[in-house]
Amino acid sequence: MARAKSPEKRQAILQAAAREIAASGLGASTAKIAKGADVAEGTLFTYFASKDELFNELYLELKGEVYRRINAEFPYKATLQVRARHVWTESLNWSIERPEERKASVQLGVSDVVTVATRERIGSQQRGAVEETLGEIAARGVFKDLPPGFAASAMGAMQDAVIDTVARKPRQKAVLVEKGFDAFWRMAK
Amino acid sequence: MARAKSPEKRQAILQAAAREIAASGLGASTAKIAKGADVAEGTLFTYFASKDELFNELYLELKGEVYRRINAEFPYKATLQVRARHVWTESLNWSIERPEERKASVQLGVSDVVTVATRERIGSQQRGAVEETLGEIAARGVFKDLPPGFAASAMGAMQDAVIDTVARKPRQKAVLVEKGFDAFWRMAK
Amino acid sequence: MARAKSPEKRQAILQAAAREIAASGLGASTAKIAKGADVAEGTLFTYFASKDELFNELYLELKGEVYRRINAEFPYKATLQVRARHVWTESLNWSIERPEERKASVQLGVSDVVTVATRERIGSQQRGAVEETLGEIAARGVFKDLPPGFAASAMGAMQDAVIDTVARKPRQKAVLVEKGFDAFWRMAK
Amino acid sequence: MARAKSPEKRQAILQAAAREIAASGLGASTAKIAKGADVAEGTLFTYFASKDELFNELYLELKGEVYRRINAEFPYKATLQVRARHVWTESLNWSIERPEERKASVQLGVSDVVTVATRERIGSQQRGAVEETLGEIAARGVFKDLPPGFAASAMGAMQDAVIDTVARKPRQKAVLVEKGFDAFWRMAK
DNA sequence: TATGAATGAGCGTTCATTCAT
DNA sequence: CATGAATGAACGCTCATTCAT
């Protein structure tokens, strides 16, 4: 048999793509991505049929990473506030620790190269605990009077505010993450 | 005797740029923008030295529009909550009423074609009343324990959540704008 | 006003295209064609929207040249044989004198980059006298018992045979053209 | 102990090549040809050193098929007209029955990927009876005054005319083949 | 021998920018 | 000043061929 497709190369391409998107947006060229992954330009296309497919796979990968991180050690039996704080902290820490991946993820999420089909493929994997927690939040506090989905948007939005602030005051990261949650929780209480 | 540069043409180019960015992202070509503004390709470059400059000017213009709207009829003497609600409502309505401009504004804001210099030039124009109001909010509620700037980020972020939701439930626009503020205000109270 | 599109450049591109197609078939690259015409790669596309359009225009141009040559000094009032010989001789001489154009024309004619629409645009211009003559031939001799169009195919085919032979015996060009017609005429008599 | 190269695979590749050339011209990719032959991309190159070699071999194969068909049941002792008609009919029927092979053969014949050496190798295999017959025709009728080779070109050319016409009127195939020969024979008589 | 991943030159086309008119 | 033709680098993608397995 011929050489097998190397998972390492696939990963290298995905990582390079995230890096390039963070640096220059969705206009990031396949040539640069390939060079960043240390493979030939053509090789990129043996792993991903097109730039669009690469970007969809990357989005999946990135979202998957966050969900995997949240689900690991999820405090299923704890109070809602504890569970909410877990979701908040884990996803926020991922964003802060991997700023390039986060930037890429946001850009992809906003664009329309990421298809509806891709977006749908995400949750079905293991969105479970997160969704359950957000659902409970949505039924409380101010969110009770707002459509479902608003609570999730609001959490994401408040996390953006924290990330912005951490970018300016990196030393206070831990405090910001915690106080940020307290702010968010005021709305849910 | 050179003809004077026409402000109408300048405006037409800026508007066409916003439209094109909303439609196809920052990859929008100068040729399309020029055609959209009904001027020749080359003419664009007599008004803006480069695509980057055009985009920076557009960002300024867009942000300026919002501030101008907020400042018109600003209730300087009202309570903080009333003033905050005014800022919230006016800027949010602008976003909702002019989705293309907003989309362009977001895309530009996220990218790095908009320079730090441009970002700094914004407020200096007429950020006055808004800044004062946000400053007061930052000294209250949860924001008291968070760095300055967090309150502003949080408001913007919460507005994004409202916009997202309005996009899905356009009929409930008025309610969402109001309840959204109530949610935000819980953090400031 | 800006620089006007130059008919010379257009012609240069068409000629270069014919040359390149003759040399390397329809795979001839736009880059080589542009270089052959001494214009920049991009310039080709200001004259022709795509490679396909260029090739269709070239086909039209080439067919037009032959028809123009036949129609000039066409002996409208002469006998059928004289008129037929005129068509035969003029078109054949064009083919022999301009071997590259002929090669390109054949390749294009056989391929399907030349659209039906293009093929239809040809005759309407001035196929007149030729068509009339071929029509008369089709009603005579062996052709009487064969479908319309066969006579035209046969003339073209017999011309190919002459061209093949002239290519091997260029000295006898004049005789071959004449005797070739005599051979063809045997079928029509 | 190396496995022997399989003649079946060789044939499958040649057939797939003919099919692909008929469908998409000489630009047909080796990858598609390999897939069409149900072998791996690399395997193609263990049977043929390069795409050009494959195409030359294919041309030989295709021409060989026609000659083999003509030579089978060749009426060696019949009159010239009968023998000529046999050559005409058999080769023409091959073209009509196997349109893909014919299309490929024409495309290859016109291009210059088929080398002079290949063209020369053809007849030497078994052109015998055909050549003899064409030689006799060349010494008669109009062909007497034309160079050797013209008769052969003329026959091929007239066959092209028949094929063109059959393509438009498939129902009349049999009549066209016969009447076409009559037309050709007028020149030879 | 058979496989198909790897390669990088080359493809048709787009584009920001320049500059002759 | 306004125009749009001209430019060539860069783009996403394909391909014949090589070679590790």
Side-chain angles (χ1 to χ4, degrees):
Chain A
M1 214 190 311
R3 215 172 319 176
K5 244 183 270 193
S6 125
E8 287 79 13
K9 247 165 221 175
R10 201 190 120 96
Q11 276 307 313
I13 294 169
L14 286 168
Q15 277 171 34
R19 240 179 294 134
E20 289 299 326
I21 291 174
S24 35
L26 302 181
S29 79
T30 52
K32 267 189 193 156
I33 293 170
K35 174 167 271 183
D38 221 34
V39 299
E41 288 184 41
T43 300
L44 187 153
F45 293 94
T46 78
Y47 285 86
F48 305 93
S50 65
K51 194 189 180 187
D52 275 16
E53 188 183 305
L54 164 59
F55 281 10
N56 274 273
E57 292 288 314
L58 176 59
Y59 187 67
L60 230 39
E61 184 80 7
L62 261 16
K63 286 294 178 191
E65 273 182 33
V66 182
Y67 280 111
R68 239 173 287 124
R69 175 157 183 173
I70 295 172
N71 286 330
E73 310 184 41
F74 189 86
Y76 291 97
K77 311 214 159 150
T79 62
L80 177 59
Q81 188 178 2
V82 168
R83 281 178 286 136
R85 192 185 288 274
H86 178 83
V87 171
W88 172 276
T89 307
E90 291 306 314
S91 56
L92 204 39
N93 279 337
W94 180 85
S95 295
I96 293 166
E97 287 163 20
R98 315 191 54 172
E100 290 178 334
E101 277 84 353
R102 193 224 161 211
K103 210 169 175 184
S105 180
V106 170
Q107 300 235 33
L108 288 166
V110 157
S111 82
D112 34 44
V113 315
V114 175
T115 65
V116 174
T118 297
R119 293 173 204 272
E120 281 167 357
R121 276 177 61 202
I122 291 169
S124 55
Q125 295 178 344
Q126 52 181 172
R127 208 159 38 180
V130 175
E131 201 138 80
E132 157 71 16
T133 303
L134 284 167
E136 285 180 50
I137 294 173
R140 297 165 45 107
V142 256
F143 300 130
K144 199 170 41 194
D145 305 325
L146 286 156
F150 186 89
S153 281
M155 182 185 275
M158 288 300 296
Q159 289 187 321
D160 289 346
V162 172
I163 291 163
D164 281 1
T165 311
V166 169
R168 293 198 313 274
K169 317 258 180 189
R171 298 291 218 18
Q172 305 182 38
K173 182 192 137 180
V175 176
L176 286 166
V177 170
E178 200 194 311
K179 298 272 182 199
F181 178 76
D182 295 340
F184 171 73
W185 192 249
R186 280 236 202 168
M187 297 189 283
K189 205 160 41 185
Chain B
M1 263 171 315
R3 235 165 313 168
K5 272 195 253 183
S6 126
E8 287 80 14
K9 257 171 208 171
R10 200 191 121 95
Q11 276 306 311
I13 294 169
L14 287 168
Q15 277 172 35
R19 240 180 293 133
E20 289 301 326
I21 291 173
S24 30
L26 302 182
S29 76
T30 52
K32 261 191 190 159
I33 293 170
K35 175 170 260 182
D38 226 33
V39 300
E41 289 182 44
T43 300
L44 189 154
F45 291 91
T46 75
Y47 287 85
F48 304 95
S50 68
K51 196 189 182 185
D52 275 16
E53 187 186 306
L54 164 60
F55 281 9
N56 275 272
E57 292 288 313
L58 176 59
Y59 187 68
L60 230 39
E61 181 79 10
L62 259 18
K63 287 294 177 191
E65 272 183 34
V66 183
Y67 280 112
R68 240 173 286 124
R69 176 160 180 168
I70 296 172
N71 287 332
E73 309 185 41
F74 189 86
Y76 291 97
K77 312 210 159 155
T79 62
L80 177 59
Q81 188 178 1
V82 168
R83 281 178 286 137
R85 192 184 287 274
H86 177 84
V87 171
W88 172 274
T89 307
E90 292 306 313
S91 57
L92 206 36
N93 280 338
W94 180 84
S95 296
I96 293 167
E97 287 165 19
R98 315 193 54 171
E100 290 181 334
E101 277 84 351
R102 194 224 163 208
K103 212 169 174 184
S105 179
V106 170
Q107 299 232 35
L108 288 166
V110 158
S111 82
D112 35 43
V113 316
V114 174
T115 63
V116 174
T118 297
R119 293 174 204 270
E120 282 168 358
R121 273 175 63 201
I122 291 170
S124 57
Q125 295 180 342
Q126 52 182 169
R127 209 160 38 179
V130 176
E131 199 138 84
E132 157 70 16
T133 303
L134 284 167
E136 286 181 48
I137 294 173
R140 295 165 47 105
V142 254
F143 301 130
K144 200 171 40 199
D145 305 326
L146 285 156
F150 186 88
S153 281
M155 180 184 276
M158 286 300 294
Q159 290 187 319
D160 288 346
V162 172
I163 290 163
D164 281 3
T165 310
V166 169
R168 294 198 314 273
K169 317 258 181 192
R171 297 292 218 18
Q172 305 183 36
K173 181 194 136 179
V175 176
L176 287 165
V177 171
E178 202 195 312
K179 298 271 182 200
F181 178 75
D182 296 341
F184 171 72
W185 193 249
R186 281 236 202 168
M187 297 189 282
K189 206 160 42 186
Chain C
M1 217 189 308
R3 218 173 317 177
K5 246 185 268 193
S6 126
E8 287 79 14
K9 243 165 224 176
R10 200 192 122 96
Q11 278 306 313
I13 294 169
L14 286 167
Q15 277 172 35
R19 241 179 294 134
E20 289 299 326
I21 291 174
S24 34
L26 301 181
S29 80
T30 51
K32 268 189 190 155
I33 293 170
K35 176 169 267 183
D38 222 32
V39 298
E41 289 184 40
T43 300
L44 189 153
F45 292 94
T46 77
Y47 286 87
F48 305 94
S50 67
K51 195 189 182 188
D52 275 16
E53 188 184 304
L54 164 60
F55 281 10
N56 274 271
E57 292 288 314
L58 176 60
Y59 187 69
L60 229 40
E61 184 80 8
L62 261 16
K63 286 295 178 191
E65 273 183 32
V66 182
Y67 280 112
R68 239 173 287 124
R69 174 157 182 172
I70 295 172
N71 287 330
E73 309 186 42
F74 188 86
Y76 289 98
K77 312 215 159 153
T79 62
L80 178 58
Q81 189 178 0
V82 168
R83 281 177 287 137
R85 190 183 289 275
H86 178 84
V87 171
W88 174 275
T89 307
E90 293 306 316
S91 57
L92 204 37
N93 280 337
W94 180 83
S95 295
I96 293 166
E97 288 163 18
R98 314 191 56 169
E100 289 178 335
E101 277 85 353
R102 193 221 162 214
K103 211 168 175 185
S105 179
V106 170
Q107 300 234 34
L108 288 167
V110 157
S111 83
D112 35 43
V113 314
V114 174
T115 65
V116 175
T118 297
R119 294 174 204 273
E120 281 168 357
R121 275 175 62 199
I122 290 168
S124 55
Q125 295 180 342
Q126 52 180 169
R127 208 161 36 181
V130 176
E131 199 138 83
E132 157 72 16
T133 303
L134 284 167
E136 286 180 50
I137 294 172
R140 297 165 45 107
V142 257
F143 300 130
K144 201 170 41 198
D145 304 326
L146 285 157
F150 186 87
S153 281
M155 181 184 274
M158 288 299 296
Q159 292 187 321
D160 288 347
V162 173
I163 290 162
D164 281 4
T165 312
V166 170
R168 294 198 313 274
K169 316 260 180 187
R171 298 292 219 15
Q172 304 183 37
K173 180 194 139 182
V175 175
L176 286 166
V177 170
E178 201 195 311
K179 298 272 182 198
F181 178 75
D182 295 341
F184 171 72
W185 192 250
R186 282 237 200 167
M187 296 190 282
K189 206 161 41 184
Chain D
M1 263 171 313
R3 235 166 312 169
K5 269 194 255 183
S6 127
E8 287 80 14
K9 256 170 210 174
R10 199 190 122 94
Q11 276 306 312
I13 294 169
L14 286 167
Q15 278 172 34
R19 239 180 295 133
E20 288 301 326
I21 291 174
S24 33
L26 302 181
S29 77
T30 51
K32 262 193 189 159
I33 293 170
K35 175 169 260 183
D38 226 32
V39 299
E41 290 182 43
T43 301
L44 190 153
F45 292 92
T46 75
Y47 286 86
F48 305 95
S50 69
K51 196 189 181 186
D52 276 15
E53 188 186 304
L54 164 60
F55 280 9
N56 275 272
E57 292 289 313
L58 176 59
Y59 188 68
L60 231 40
E61 182 78 10
L62 260 16
K63 286 295 176 191
E65 272 184 34
V66 183
Y67 280 112
R68 242 174 284 124
R69 174 159 183 170
I70 296 172
N71 288 330
E73 310 185 42
F74 190 86
Y76 289 98
K77 310 218 157 149
T79 62
L80 177 58
Q81 190 178 0
V82 168
R83 280 176 288 136
R85 193 184 286 275
H86 178 83
V87 171
W88 173 275
T89 306
E90 292 305 316
S91 57
L92 205 37
N93 280 337
W94 180 84
S95 295
I96 293 167
E97 287 163 19
R98 316 191 53 171
E100 288 180 335
E101 277 84 352
R102 194 224 161 208
K103 212 168 174 183
S105 179
V106 169
Q107 300 233 36
L108 288 166
V110 157
S111 83
D112 35 43
V113 315
V114 174
T115 63
V116 175
T118 297
R119 293 174 205 272
E120 281 166 357
R121 274 176 63 201
I122 289 169
S124 56
Q125 295 181 340
Q126 52 181 168
R127 207 160 39 179
V130 175
E131 199 138 83
E132 157 71 16
T133 303
L134 283 168
E136 286 181 49
I137 293 173
R140 296 167 47 105
V142 258
F143 300 130
K144 199 170 44 198
D145 305 327
L146 285 156
F150 185 87
S153 281
M155 182 184 273
M158 288 298 297
Q159 291 187 320
D160 288 346
V162 172
I163 289 163
D164 281 2
T165 311
V166 169
R168 292 199 313 274
K169 317 256 179 191
R171 297 289 217 21
Q172 306 183 34
K173 181 193 136 180
V175 176
L176 286 167
V177 170
E178 201 195 311
K179 297 272 183 199
F181 178 75
D182 296 343
F184 172 72
W185 192 249
R186 280 238 201 167
M187 296 190 283
K189 205 159 45 186

